Amino acid sequence: MSQDLLTLSSPAANRVLAEYSEDPLGFMTRCAREFGEIVPFRIEDRLICLLTNPMHITEVLKDPLLFIKAKDLQILHGLLGNGLITSEGDFWQRQRRLTQPVFYHQRINSYGAVMVDYTKQMLQTWCEGEVRDVHDDMMRLTLNIVMKTIFNRDVTDGEASYVAHALDEAMNWFVYQMNNSLVEEQDSNVDRRYQDAIALLDDTIYAMLKHRRSSGEEGEDLLGMLMQVQDADDGSRMSDRQLRDEVASLMLAGHETTANSLSWTWMLLAQHPEVQAKLKQELKMALDGRTPTVSSLSQLPYTHMIIKEAMRLYPPVTDVSREATRDCEIGGYFIPKGCTLIASQWVMHRDPRYFQHPEVFNPERWENDLEKQLPRGVYFPFGDGPRICIGKSFALMEAVLILTTIAQAFELELVPDRAIELQPSITLRPKHGIQVVLKKA
């Protein structure tokens, strides 16, 4: 017999919204430590449950029909439309099936040279002793790479700035919506900037689609492959509107997560010179100054561990939320239709039940296949289940290739006395960037 959620301990309703708005990551962590494996609480009229049992997390993420994307992500339809990130049900299944071949391993590997070439182009603009915001640099670099892989051409500064501006405004708008949900009179300027940015993004993407259509060339880039895929049942192809939505989703997911992961990695390396020294030693032995390639990846186990550990401490996405489409049961507790279920990477990745000294940056913890020894639902930086990030292999390969290319040329030292503040939004960004001083390696 299932039990009622009200029988569980939960944080007091009158302090939930204030604590969550002020520090969502701290709030979730405290809930997990104080109240157990299912923590119910309310924000406005929404019943929310934080899950901290890996089996419960896996159960929710493996069933995309019973547990759909929650309302907090659905408000991004203006940016992402009905793309893979936001679509649901049969339509999502169809789009996932159509898009999956675009991300087959051999296709992803072909983009390795693009990633390294663009990184080298960026390094030509870097100078010894210069102070830079490495987050800005990683955002621009990964955006240029994903635009090249989508459209197979170097985007103009204008095109890149329009896309970057739209994504920045979307992040700011999302944070504003989450933090001001109870404010009756919302700031119309925030909404207007968001809508203007989306319109500019639409103009940019549709112009590229129109150019591709008029040229008569479909190409072997991501856009070309998306244009060519056909539904096996009816032979239909994606409309321009659907192509726009999938391209916008690729732009967000294809550069934002990698850029943030690399930014946090540079911060951690600067804070831990002993790890940076081991990285340099591995690069010397494996590459000896040679340009990294896809074939080099297998020779860089410590580099992979650095990325994996950085994503443990600073996951690209801090939590995934799902909404129950009907009454159901989890862990012996009744879950009503409409209840929002949250699985927090931030909480699980720092859980002392599974990670010794969880707050410590220790890449060596991933030796001896630790990930395979962990229960499923403990470490999931790219999500899990059928809706696991379709670009996971792309992102991991990109992170390692960019990290190794830069680390062979420069060391990055943090500018002293500059606070680095977390900004949990759709992704986990450094709110005011990460200021570094460049030093020749």
Side-chain angles (χ1 to χ4, degrees):
M1 179 180 296
S2 64
Q3 303 178 65
D4 194 294
L5 287 171
L6 295 178
T7 64
L8 292 169
S9 296
S10 61
N14 60 357
R15 63 180 170 87
V16 165
L17 182 59
E19 287 193 18
Y20 180 80
S21 298
E22 183 177 339
D23 180 14
L25 301 181
F27 173 78
M28 291 293 183
T29 301
R30 290 191 295 274
C31 283
R33 303 295 182 261
E34 294 177 21
F35 298 107
E37 61 182 20
I38 299 182
V39 187
F41 57 92
R42 286 190 179 275
I43 293 181
E44 300 180 78
D45 59 348
R46 294 173 63 199
L47 174 60
I48 299 172
C49 288
L50 173 66
L51 306 177
T52 66
N53 183 318
M55 290 190 295
H56 299 162
I57 291 172
T58 302
E59 181 181 348
V60 168
L61 296 183
K62 76 178 183 182
D63 193 340
L65 299 181
L66 176 56
F67 302 105
I68 62 173
K69 294 290 184 78
K71 290 182 175 64
D72 56 354
L73 189 62
Q74 294 302 324
I75 66 173
L76 286 174
H77 267 290
L79 173 68
L80 304 177
N82 212 23
L84 273 180
I85 295 176
T86 51
S87 58
E88 296 289 352
D90 292 341
F91 185 81
W92 168 78
Q93 290 182 322
R94 173 185 183 273
Q95 287 303 112
R96 180 82 181 202
R97 186 177 70 250
L98 289 176
T99 308
Q100 189 68 58
V102 174
F103 289 92
Y104 283 162
H105 190 67
Q106 58 270 32
R107 290 191 185 275
I108 295 302
N109 284 350
S110 68
Y111 299 128
V114 172
M115 298 168 179
V116 173
D117 288 346
Y118 272 66
T119 306
K120 285 187 168 184
Q121 291 177 33
M122 180 195 72
L123 291 175
Q124 291 175 4
T125 70
W126 284 16
C127 300
E128 168 86 20
E130 185 180 11
V131 175
R132 301 190 68 95
D133 181 346
V134 72
H135 181 246
D136 276 352
D137 284 335
M138 295 301 99
M139 290 290 283
R140 181 58 185 266
L141 172 60
T142 56
L143 178 59
N144 286 343
I145 289 171
V146 80
M147 295 283 276
K148 174 70 172 180
T149 58
I150 293 173
F151 299 108
N152 193 30
R153 68 180 179 85
D154 297 324
V155 296
T156 66
D157 288 341
E159 290 167 337
S161 64
Y162 297 156
V163 173
H165 174 66
L167 297 180
D168 282 341
E169 287 297 335
M171 293 293 172
N172 295 335
W173 182 80
F174 186 86
V175 171
Y176 179 83
Q177 294 294 321
M178 294 297 100
N179 292 342
N180 295 275
S181 57
L182 292 183
V183 177
E184 291 186 8
E185 291 189 16
Q186 302 259 326
D187 186 345
S188 61
N189 290 326
V190 176
D191 277 335
R192 184 165 55 251
R193 287 197 302 270
Y194 174 62
Q195 296 301 331
D196 289 347
I198 298 304
L200 195 57
L201 178 68
D202 286 349
D203 289 345
T204 303
I205 296 177
Y206 280 123
M208 292 179 172
L209 288 175
K210 182 178 179 181
H211 178 268
R212 182 62 62 88
R213 295 283 193 202
S214 63
S215 72
E217 299 177 1
E218 291 182 325
E220 291 300 317
D221 51 24
L222 292 179
L223 176 60
M225 287 184 274
L226 288 173
M227 292 173 69
Q228 294 173 56
V229 293
Q230 291 181 276
D231 191 301
D233 297 328
D234 60 16
S236 62
R237 297 189 179 190
M238 295 187 203
S239 65
D240 278 3
R241 175 66 201 188
Q242 192 58 41
L243 286 169
R244 176 261 174 227
D245 293 346
E246 300 301 352
V247 165
S249 299
L250 288 173
M251 287 176 175
L252 174 65
H255 98 282
E256 178 83 23
T257 54
T258 307
N260 288 326
S261 294
L262 283 166
S263 299
W264 297 120
T265 301
W266 291 120
M267 180 195 75
L268 290 165
L269 286 173
Q271 293 170 338
H272 297 83
E274 74 284 358
V275 175
Q276 192 159 213
K278 290 180 181 179
L279 170 63
K280 290 178 66 175
Q281 182 180 18
E282 177 172 85
L283 298 183
K284 174 65 176 175
M285 292 180 63
L287 301 175
D288 195 23
R290 296 186 300 274
T291 298
T293 64
V294 172
S295 61
S296 308
L297 297 177
S298 61
Q299 305 169 48
L300 302 167
Y302 191 67
T303 308
H304 283 86
M305 287 190 284
I306 289 173
I307 296 293
K308 190 171 290 189
E309 178 72 345
M311 288 195 298
R312 182 187 70 82
L313 283 169
Y314 297 93
V317 177
T318 59
D319 61 74
V320 291
S321 56
R322 297 289 187 265
E323 181 179 309
T325 58
R326 58 176 172 79
D327 293 349
C328 58
E329 185 178 302
I330 293 177
Y333 286 92
F334 172 72
I335 303 295
K337 177 181 177 180
C339 179
T340 298
L341 302 161
I342 296 180
S344 171
Q345 289 98 323
W346 178 270
V347 169
M348 297 304 294
H349 289 190
R350 292 168 176 250
D351 194 321
R353 293 176 297 172
Y354 307 106
F355 300 102
Q356 188 176 20
H357 306 302
E359 304 297 325
V360 174
F361 178 58
N362 176 25
E364 285 87 348
R365 76 170 74 242
W366 296 100
E367 292 176 337
N368 304 315
D369 283 333
L370 172 65
E371 187 170 0
K372 292 182 180 179
Q373 300 170 37
L374 293 170
R376 191 168 179 178
V378 170
Y379 181 75
F380 51 110
F382 293 95
D384 199 2
R387 298 200 72 144
I388 192 170
C389 176
I390 198 170
K392 176 182 177 181
S393 296
F394 182 103
L396 288 174
M397 179 179 73
E398 182 180 27
V400 172
L401 289 174
I402 291 175
L403 179 64
T404 54
T405 303
I406 295 174
Q408 287 188 108
F410 286 95
E411 291 181 10
L412 278 60
E413 298 178 349
L414 293 177
V415 173
D417 303 321
R418 294 284 184 92
I420 300 173
E421 185 177 346
L422 301 175
Q423 184 184 43
S425 177
I426 308 166
T427 61
L428 181 62
R429 285 182 165 190
K431 187 172 184 180
H432 304 295
I434 299 175
Q435 302 294 320
V436 298
V437 180
L438 302 181
K439 179 182 176 182
K440 284 284 186 178

